[in-house]
Amino acid sequence: MESISVFDMLKIGVGPSSSHTLGPWRAAERWIAELKEQDLFDKITAVKVDLFGSLSLTGKGHATDFAVVLGLYGADPETVPIDAISSIVSEVKLGNSLSLNNEREVPFNFSTDIVFNRKFLPFHSNGIRFTAITAKKQITSTFYSIGGGFVVKEERENAEKNKVVFATLPYPIEKGTDLLAYCKSTGTSISELVLENEKSLRTEKVIDVELQRIWTTMLECMYTGCHTQGNLPGGLNVRRRAFDMHLTLKGDLPYENPVEWLHTIRKTEVKFRQILKWVSCFALSVNEVNAALGRVVTAPTNGSAGVIPAVLMYYMVIENHNAGFKEIKQFLLVAGEIGSIFKKGATISAAMGGCQAEIGVSSAMAAAALCELMGGSPEQVLIAAEIAMEHHLGLTCDPIGGLVQVPCIERNSMGAIKAINAAELALDADPENVKVPLDKVVDTMWTTAKDMHANYKETSEGGLAVAVGLSDC
């Protein structure tokens, strides 16, 4: 059975897209590692990159070409200074050369050595093929970015199901029924059970360090988004809104950093309407940072990165002012597990399933995590996830201009609000009277994904992307 860690679902990376930016970036890194393992790296005289399907159709708007170059260059998406990204790309463009892994200089024309092919490869809609040229031959290697920063090769075992296989866990979980059965037999909450699985992969100290790093990145991302004004890059001239919303909401209390900011806004008197605005502000702030090639946490993707931090902030700012790392840890463990169930049973790639696979899954993850923090039973936690996804079924992915901006940024706000509502509904629900179990909605989401027309799967060839063109913006 497939085993996916929480840290596979929640990954630190650079925006704007986990499947179109982080995935190709990681694929380039893996390809370089392949060449070194095969003793070919030092023989390379030139390289070429071909992008296929959705990676080609929306690759420009998602900075796929930038990501490929950064990956080949050897920059790490978790640590590369955000301010250095443009200078690295400019260096390659102006110099017509690329330092592979920052070790070996080869000629490289940014405009012609990255080829955007409109055709789709049979295996997956996000295909990327690398070609290494030596004095004697050409070597090609094809990867697929299957959502959430996951990358596979077609020949890999289980690849036909888009599976990534990891170490065996003490409580292997593929469906919601598996999760509930283990919770019942062990008498544990979902977060406690997930922690036991994680402890089979790494020590609890490492788990805590990594979860804290994820939360810190989320908090810093929200802080950055709330304190940055102006227009987003890409040509749509979309104005950042989190800055103005935050300015109106925060009041005059002083602070100097993200941690002080959190404590400050906890002191702000909040009414119902302002709660909605705060949640929207948190979600918008993250995805504005994401759209500007900032550092975010895939949750489970970059395009849906704002939902989970917004709902977690809602809990800490509105529901429980005493919440600390214990609650953050609990929230992220539950969210990660729910996300993995959707990935195993359906998809988290908009190129495969539309936006229901991104915003829908992130909303389900956040709803489930919030429900447990609010005292929900394991059964109610799964009900919360089901309710959140049920009301995202069929949501298309139709980004205008291929950019993760319109309607993507606002959708994070809507997904966060739905998650909170779903958790509240689940807390009042009787598990004995559930009509739609989580596993059924996962199956339905996958069926809907397969039935959905290709134009509505992150191609910018249908929906709003066509009805509202670049000229209208």
Side-chain angles (χ1 to χ4, degrees), residues 222 224-232 237-249 277-289 291 404-414:
M222 286 184 281
T224 298
C226 285
H227 293 82
T228 306
Q229 56 184 322
N231 291 350
L232 294 170
N237 294 318
V238 173
R239 180 176 172 79
R240 291 177 179 260
R241 284 182 287 173
F243 179 88
D244 292 329
M245 289 180 70
H246 177 255
L247 200 63
T248 302
L249 290 166
K277 287 187 174 183
W278 269 117
V279 174
S280 294
C281 182
F282 296 144
L284 294 175
S285 66
V286 171
N287 285 84
E288 288 175 353
V289 170
V404 188
Q405 296 182 18
V406 182
C408 320
I409 295 174
E410 283 183 355
R411 282 185 179 170
N412 280 264
S413 172
M414 301 304 292

Side-chain angles (χ1 to χ4, degrees), residues 124-271:
H124 192 279
S125 56
N126 288 337
I128 180 168
R129 180 173 296 152
F130 297 98
T131 301
I133 300 167
T134 69
K136 296 183 178 180
K137 59 181 178 179
Q138 294 187 6
I139 308 101
T140 64
S141 190
T142 303
F143 296 83
Y144 299 89
S145 178
I146 61 173
F150 287 89
V151 177
V152 298
K153 300 197 71 174
E154 187 169 0
E155 65 270 18
R156 185 174 181 152
E157 184 182 2
N158 289 324
E160 71 278 5
K161 295 181 181 179
N162 290 341
K163 288 190 173 182
V164 181
V165 179
F166 298 92
T168 301
L169 304 179
Y171 302 104
I173 298 162
E174 188 158 358
K175 297 178 177 291
T177 48
D178 300 330
L179 183 55
L180 288 182
Y182 285 129
C183 287
K184 185 174 181 179
S185 65
T186 59
T188 60
S189 66
I190 289 176
S191 60
E192 290 169 335
L193 189 80
V194 176
L195 179 59
E196 290 305 308
N197 275 343
E198 291 296 328
K199 284 162 66 175
S200 71
L201 302 174
R202 51 187 67 82
T203 67
E204 188 162 3
K205 181 178 180 180
V206 171
I207 292 169
D208 288 351
V209 168
E210 289 303 303
L211 288 176
Q212 181 63 61
R213 194 163 70 95
I214 286 170
W215 166 242
T216 297
T217 302
M218 288 180 172
L219 183 60
E220 290 176 346
C221 184
M222 286 184 281
Y223 182 86
T224 298
C226 285
H227 293 82
T228 306
Q229 56 184 322
N231 291 350
L232 294 170
L236 289 183
N237 294 318
V238 173
R239 180 176 172 79
R240 291 177 179 260
R241 284 182 287 173
F243 179 88
D244 292 329
M245 289 180 70
H246 177 255
L247 200 63
T248 302
L249 290 166
K250 72 179 182 64
D252 298 323
L253 295 174
Y255 54 85
E256 294 183 359
N257 55 56
V259 174
E260 288 184 10
W261 174 62
L262 172 58
H263 293 317
T264 297
I265 56 180
R266 277 175 158 174
K267 301 173 185 176
T268 306
E269 183 180 349
V270 181
K271 298 178 182 178

